[in-house]
Amino acid sequence: MFSPTALRPRYAKWLIATGLFLVLSGCVEKPNTLERVKEDGVLRVVTRNSPATYFQDRNGETGFEYELVKRFADDLGVELKIETADNLDDLFTQLGKPNGPVLAAAGLVSSEKRKSQVRFSHSYLEVTPQIIYRNGQSRPTDPAALAGKKIMVLKGSTHAEQLAQLKQKYPGITEYEESDAVEVVDLLRMVDEGQIDLTLVDSNEVAMNQVYFPNVRVAFDLGDASNQSWAVAPGEDNSLLNEINAYLDKVQKNGTLQRLKDRYYGHVDVLGYVGAYTFAQHLQQRLPKYEKHFKNYAKAEKVDWRLLAAIGYQESLWQPTVTSKTGVRGLMMLTQNTAQAMGVSNRLDPKQSIRGGAKYLAYIKGLLDDSIEEPDRTWFALAAYNVGGGHLDDARKLAAKEGLNPNKWLDVKKILPRLSQKKWYSKTRYGYARGGEPVHFVANIRRYYDILTWVTQPQLEGDQVAEGNLHVPGVDKSKPNPETPPL
């Protein structure tokens, strides 16, 4: 047996070794936020599901904030993981949670209240808060004119803070509501439909969405311009914030930021009927160049060539070299991924583009549930061609829950516009979509198809259709409104 005296030196050495280990362990610094992001290989970002921030369309994930933050993740060499918050309060709560998002990219404007919750980056977009009213109603021209009006804004927004300040100055401003059940696009729709009198939103979101709401007008700017920034959690760790600021400064200098601004806010393309008069002209001037390709590839894929031609007209006005702001190109406006999948090497080659469009239409049609029968199957395929199969499935499920027939276009087209309303898209798998667009898309194509069917009857077939023989129902001989936005 060991004596107590013999054990003491060994015990003392063990204590010294243990103490030294603990001291050395305490000297090892924990990785900072930027180091953790790079070690994990993932940048976790929280944002809003809205057209100005992040949503999914037929090109995949998109949105101004998404594209800007995706480039940042690429610069860091990490994967981007997007999370969406139900509302602004939830967004700030999520930011900085353990294993949660480390960055908020959601079109945020700093305020004194928010500075106590988060730290803001350098700015990247200047916006102006604007009072929005409905055309035909009395236009308010100053804050005092807001008294007695039914006003709604986003809960937790800087706009709500502005109204609270105005209320102190103008006691008559009592009728305003903060809601966390809507997004900006909902507010604009509510003004457009007369559900509320006024709202307050930033100028960039008005510019992006106004074309979808014909009754929406800007009454006046409320206050000076503000700057949108990204946000990180509070604290003393500036590693990620410094990296963000360096990135935002870089994209400001190299023109990347301006290109994104031009793409999303410089102009807005919108689906719309450009006028039967113009269509009649293009029937004679443009269709003959591509008619044989429409016929050949439609036959190969067992689709109606006139339907294929109608899609081509809706997409590009039968122009083979156009490129949209979202990067889709060519006569059939194929995305890069779709073109590759359909074996198209040059999207600007009209022959290849038409072949790819025919194959893609047949492919989409084949993916639809067997329960969907013609002619609805064709209209569903067109809707999926425009908005994507995921969003179409969301609308069909919502239709079924509403007691409508998910296999009938007449029913589902009533539901699709709801995908742009937060109270509906928040319940779906694929989230926000401009659900009104596929409805217009299908309606336009059906009208073009009807006209093509009429003018290509046996007695009217030929290389060209003479203007004098163009007996087409609904063709307006008057020139189209020059203010009509192009497709």
Side-chain angles (χ1 to χ4, degrees):
M1 290 182 63
F2 293 104
S3 67
T5 304
L7 284 174
R8 283 176 190 149
R10 292 185 181 184
Y11 182 64
K13 288 180 181 179
W14 181 81
L15 285 176
I16 292 171
T18 302
L20 182 61
F21 173 76
L22 292 173
V23 169
L24 290 174
S25 298
C27 292
V28 177
E29 293 185 3
K30 294 180 179 179
N32 59 37
T33 304
L34 180 61
E35 290 169 341
R36 290 202 310 273
V37 168
K38 291 185 175 181
E39 287 174 4
D40 294 344
V42 177
L43 177 67
R44 292 177 171 82
V45 175
V46 62
T47 188
R48 295 156 49 210
N49 185 196
S50 76
T53 52
Y54 165 80
F55 66 100
Q56 295 188 33
D57 66 6
R58 62 172 170 168
N59 303 303
E61 294 176 305
T62 188
F64 179 85
E65 293 286 352
Y66 170 78
E67 293 218 26
L68 192 58
V69 80
K70 178 65 168 65
R71 285 169 169 78
F72 178 53
D74 291 343
D75 269 15
L76 294 178
V78 298
E79 176 189 354
L80 175 63
K81 184 175 181 181
I82 292 285
E83 299 178 22
T84 56
D86 290 335
N87 51 63
L88 287 169
D89 289 339
D90 181 45
L91 182 143
F92 289 115
T93 300
Q94 287 188 46
L95 187 61
K97 275 189 173 181
N99 301 316
V102 295
L103 165 62
L108 301 174
V109 172
S110 66
S111 67
E112 290 307 312
K113 178 182 177 182
R114 286 182 173 178
K115 286 178 181 177
S116 66
Q117 298 174 288
V118 296
R119 291 173 295 157
F120 286 98
S121 71
H122 292 174
S123 66
Y124 54 85
L125 186 67
E126 184 179 271
V127 297
T128 303
Q130 295 181 319
I131 293 291
I132 306 301
Y133 77 109
R134 188 174 191 269
N135 187 37
Q137 301 299 310
S138 176
R139 176 187 177 185
T141 56
D142 56 48
L146 305 183
K149 301 293 185 180
K150 185 177 182 181
I151 307 171
M152 182 183 290
V153 293
L154 297 186
K155 186 176 184 295
S157 65
T158 53
H159 303 132
E161 294 179 35
Q162 283 182 281
L163 288 179
Q165 293 170 4
L166 283 179
K167 186 177 177 181
Q168 296 178 358
K169 188 174 182 181
Y170 302 97
I173 303 176
T174 56
E175 292 289 320
Y176 82 88
E177 178 184 353
E178 296 181 53
S179 175
D180 60 4
V182 297
E183 257 294 346
V184 170
V185 69
D186 297 296
L187 295 174
L188 294 174
R189 175 183 53 79
M190 292 169 78
V191 171
D192 184 75
E193 296 176 355
Q195 297 180 37
I196 57 176
D197 297 324
L198 306 169
T199 189
L200 176 59
V201 299
D202 286 329
S203 54
N204 64 312
E205 304 219 48
V206 179
M208 171 171 280
N209 292 293
Q210 186 172 19
V211 71
Y212 302 105
F213 304 107
N215 297 313
V216 161
R217 297 290 186 274
V218 176
F220 61 90
D221 295 345
L222 186 63
D224 299 326
S226 303
N227 292 308
Q228 291 188 348
S229 305
W230 288 348
V232 298
E236 298 180 356
D237 181 353
N238 292 318
S239 58
L240 181 61
L241 185 60
N242 290 340
E243 194 76 10
I244 289 170
N245 288 335
Y247 164 75
L248 291 175
D249 291 346
K250 181 184 74 172
V251 294
Q252 177 75 52
K253 291 176 182 176
N254 67 19
T256 299
L257 185 58
Q258 187 58 48
R259 285 192 292 273
L260 282 177
K261 290 178 184 178
D262 290 343
R263 175 175 167 186
Y264 281 92
Y265 303 122
H267 64 281
V268 178
D269 61 348
V270 60
L271 297 172
Y273 188 64
V274 298
Y277 174 87
T278 306
F279 182 64
Q281 284 187 317
H282 292 164
L283 273 174
Q284 301 173 60
Q285 299 167 359
R286 297 179 181 177
L287 180 59
K289 303 174 187 176
Y290 312 113
E291 185 172 332
K292 65 178 181 180
H293 301 316
F294 283 123
K295 288 181 175 178
N296 290 340
Y297 293 120
K299 183 178 180 180
E301 300 300 332
K302 298 180 180 179
V303 297
D304 190 323
W305 78 267
R306 294 162 298 192
L307 182 69
L308 191 62
I311 297 172
Y313 189 75
Q314 172 66 19
E315 291 283 45
S316 70
L317 305 184
W318 296 324
Q319 298 176 100
T321 59
V322 293
T323 301
S324 82
K325 70 178 179 66
T326 57
V328 292
R329 308 184 75 187
L331 195 146
M332 301 299 288
M333 296 299 270
L334 303 175
T335 67
Q336 183 65 51
N337 290 340
T338 299
Q340 290 176 350
M342 298 300 115
V344 174
S345 59
N346 181 6
R347 288 182 287 169
L348 301 185
D349 179 340
K351 187 175 178 180
Q352 287 194 43
S353 184
I354 293 170
R355 184 189 71 202
K359 291 178 69 175
Y360 187 51
L361 179 62
Y363 171 74
I364 291 175
K365 210 170 181 180
L367 292 179
L368 296 173
D369 290 347
D370 293 338
S371 57
I372 303 173
E373 300 177 351
E374 293 289 4
D376 297 281
R377 192 172 187 85
T378 293
W379 313 140
F380 276 105
L382 292 176
Y385 190 103
N386 173 256
V387 78
H391 291 305
L392 181 63
D393 285 342
D394 283 344
R396 292 182 65 224
K397 290 174 183 175
L398 288 176
K401 289 179 180 178
E402 291 293 300
L404 301 174
N405 190 336
N407 297 331
K408 292 296 182 183
W409 175 246
L410 190 63
D411 284 352
V412 175
K413 77 173 186 177
K414 298 174 184 176
I415 300 297
L416 272 165
R418 294 185 181 182
L419 296 183
S420 65
Q421 300 175 35
K422 186 174 181 179
K423 72 174 184 178
W424 296 104
Y425 71 67
S426 60
K427 303 174 184 177
T428 66
R429 178 178 179 183
Y430 293 95
Y432 173 88
R434 290 192 177 114
E437 285 190 3
V439 176
H440 292 299
F441 184 81
V442 174
N444 287 350
I445 289 173
R446 290 182 69 170
R447 188 171 186 185
Y448 300 142
Y449 174 72
D450 287 343
I451 296 174
L452 279 167
T453 301
W454 182 269
V455 301
T456 56
Q457 293 300 317
Q459 68 272 21
L460 293 177
E461 283 189 350
D463 291 336
Q464 290 189 342
V465 180
E467 178 71 51
N469 293 326
L470 189 61
H471 302 298
V472 182
V475 172
D476 182 3
K477 298 298 181 181
S478 61
K479 290 189 176 183
N481 186 341
E483 295 182 358
T484 300
L487 289 178

